[in-house]
Amino acid sequence: MSVWYDQAKVRLESECKTIKGQKERAMGSAVRDALLEFCRQNEEFAQAVVQGGTFQDCMAAVAKGVGGSISDLEAYRRAVCFYFDGAKVKLQMAIELEPVQTEPNRGGLLLNLSDFF
C-alpha cells in the first residue's frame, strides 16, 4: 500500500472512534470502510483524506439534512465529496443465476455396487 493510504487508514480509524451524533455514529464505520476502499483505489484521494478535514466534520456533512434514512450510496457520495469536491462514486451490481457447483466434475464412471450382487 502507499504511504498516503497508510496515513489515511490511521487517521480514519482513530477519528472514527470519537464520532459524536447519533446519525453520525450509526453510519460512521460503514462510511469509514468505504473511504478506506476508495483510498486503496486512488492515492490522490488518500492524500486528500489525510490533508482534508476531520472525519467528524465529514460525518456531519453526510448527516446534514438526513431525515430518517439515507442510502449507503448517497452517504458514500457525500463523504467522498467532502474530501474531494467533484469526485463521483459509481456503483456496479450484477446477479449470477447459475447454480453453484458443489463438487468439480471429475468425468469418472459412477458404479452402483448393488448391481454386482
Side-chain angles (χ1 to χ4, degrees), residues 17-36:
K17 296 174 186 173
T18 61
I19 294 176
K20 293 174 177 47
Q22 182 179 4
K23 292 176 186 175
E24 290 86 344
R25 283 193 312 271
M27 297 183 285
S29 60
V31 171
R32 176 204 59 213
D33 292 346
L35 288 175
L36 286 174

Side-chain angles (χ1 to χ4, degrees), residues 13-95:
E13 287 179 348
S14 66
E15 291 182 7
C16 186
K17 296 174 186 173
T18 61
I19 294 176
K20 293 174 177 47
Q22 182 179 4
K23 292 176 186 175
E24 290 86 344
R25 283 193 312 271
M27 297 183 285
S29 60
V31 171
R32 176 204 59 213
D33 292 346
L35 288 175
L36 286 174
E37 176 58 26
F38 299 145
C39 288
R40 186 190 63 73
Q41 293 174 19
N42 188 295
E43 188 171 352
E44 188 176 0
F45 182 73
Q47 181 180 356
V49 169
V50 171
Q51 296 175 340
T54 66
F55 189 58
Q56 173 66 46
D57 292 342
C58 171
M59 290 309 303
V62 170
K64 184 178 181 180
V66 171
S69 66
I70 184 174
S71 73
D72 292 349
L73 183 57
E74 181 59 24
Y76 304 154
R77 284 180 179 154
R78 290 180 183 193
V80 164
C81 287
F82 174 81
Y83 287 110
F84 205 104
D85 192 33
K88 296 183 192 267
V89 176
K90 292 183 180 179
L91 175 68
Q92 180 178 348
M93 296 178 66
I95 184 171

